[in-house]
Amino acid sequence: MLALALAGCGLDPDRVSELVSTRDMLLGVTALDDGVAAAIDVRVGSPIGTVELTGGDALFVTVGGTRRPMIEGQNNGAPIYSVELDTLPGDFLLDLERQNDRDVHGVVVEVPPPFTVAAEGLTQDLPLSLAWAPDPEGGKVVISVQGDCIDTLTRSLDEDTGTLVITQAELRPPPAGPPLAPCALEVSASRTITTRDALFSTNPGGNVTTSAEQRRTIAVVWTP
């Protein structure tokens, strides 16, 4: 009856958090630091669909010792809660505060450590040699190289060794043919940690999934 009443008032019952128990909530957290700026986004779901926080329910993150409220926005018509930052210096905490149900405090979101990437070579017969500070516990590493003169090349590393060598033979030209002049390439290195945990260890049902990424992009010039 409550869902019908809300529908009659023009509210989508799938988006009203007052109808969803905390133990049934599904929190999806994504965080990205690209070396220039950082952002944290949270989506709230449930077995009945997307959830919009209503009735005073709210999300907060604590980054570097500072607690910040998350601001509601829209992404493809669904509510999303975001905070923009200068950097992601390390792990942060997520809190869900509710007016008429159980709160969730201190969810730890693991963030890989920041890093920088250096490039050498890719001139004449030299390969492209990349180097960064390795972190065996820092998550999955993916390297991509793209530009107008090549098909995008992507490498996923099984182990974060802090180095990768890409030969010129691996940089395949697009169907239109190889370039006739020096080509600007963009090299991106990302390190990502993903987790999935229950909201309450003693009350299974809801869960939180997280994906936190440190990404660095540098420019190199290739003369085939």
Side-chain angles (χ1 to χ4, degrees):
M1 291 297 293
L2 178 58
L4 291 175
L6 288 169
C9 295
L11 295 177
D12 183 348
D14 286 0
R15 296 193 177 187
V16 179
S17 63
E18 292 144 294
L19 297 181
V20 182
S21 169
T22 305
R23 69 178 183 179
D24 293 327
M25 284 190 167
L26 310 174
L27 303 181
V29 184
T30 57
L32 170 64
D33 182 339
D34 64 7
V36 178
I40 301 170
D41 297 324
V42 177
R43 293 167 175 80
V44 184
S46 76
I48 64 171
T50 301
V51 173
E52 181 179 6
L53 299 181
T54 56
D57 295 347
L59 285 162
F60 299 85
V61 290
T62 301
V63 182
T66 301
R67 193 169 191 254
R68 305 168 184 266
M70 304 201 76
I71 306 303
E72 182 178 338
Q74 293 285 318
N75 187 320
N76 295 324
I80 187 170
Y81 300 87
S82 304
V83 166
E84 295 183 354
L85 306 158
D86 294 331
T87 63
L88 280 176
D91 299 350
F92 63 89
L93 302 178
L94 175 69
D95 298 328
L96 170 62
E97 295 191 350
R98 310 206 60 193
Q99 298 301 304
N100 299 302
D101 205 336
R102 184 175 177 180
D103 295 338
V104 179
H105 284 137
V107 174
V108 178
V109 179
E110 297 182 56
V111 178
F115 65 98
T116 58
V117 180
E120 295 181 356
L122 206 59
T123 57
Q124 298 179 350
D125 295 329
L126 295 177
L128 173 61
S129 297
L130 303 175
W132 61 92
D135 183 6
E137 305 298 326
K140 179 181 179 181
V141 174
V142 175
I143 306 294
S144 69
V145 184
Q146 58 185 352
D148 292 339
C149 59
I150 64 168
D151 287 336
T152 298
L153 175 114
T154 302
R155 292 287 183 268
S156 180
L157 306 185
D158 294 331
E159 182 180 355
D160 185 0
T161 60
T163 62
L164 180 67
V165 175
I166 299 173
T167 65
Q168 294 198 32
E170 295 178 89
L171 301 176
R172 300 180 181 277
L180 300 178
C183 173
L185 299 180
E186 186 178 84
V187 179
S188 292
S190 74
R191 181 184 282 154
T192 305
I193 293 178
T194 58
T195 66
R196 179 184 173 91
D197 294 296
L199 282 180
F200 306 109
S201 59
T202 58
N203 194 355
N207 63 60
V208 55
T209 59
T210 73
S211 175
E213 176 186 359
Q214 295 277 3
R215 182 191 304 159
R216 300 296 181 266
T217 302
I218 58 175
V220 298
V221 176
W222 177 37
T223 303

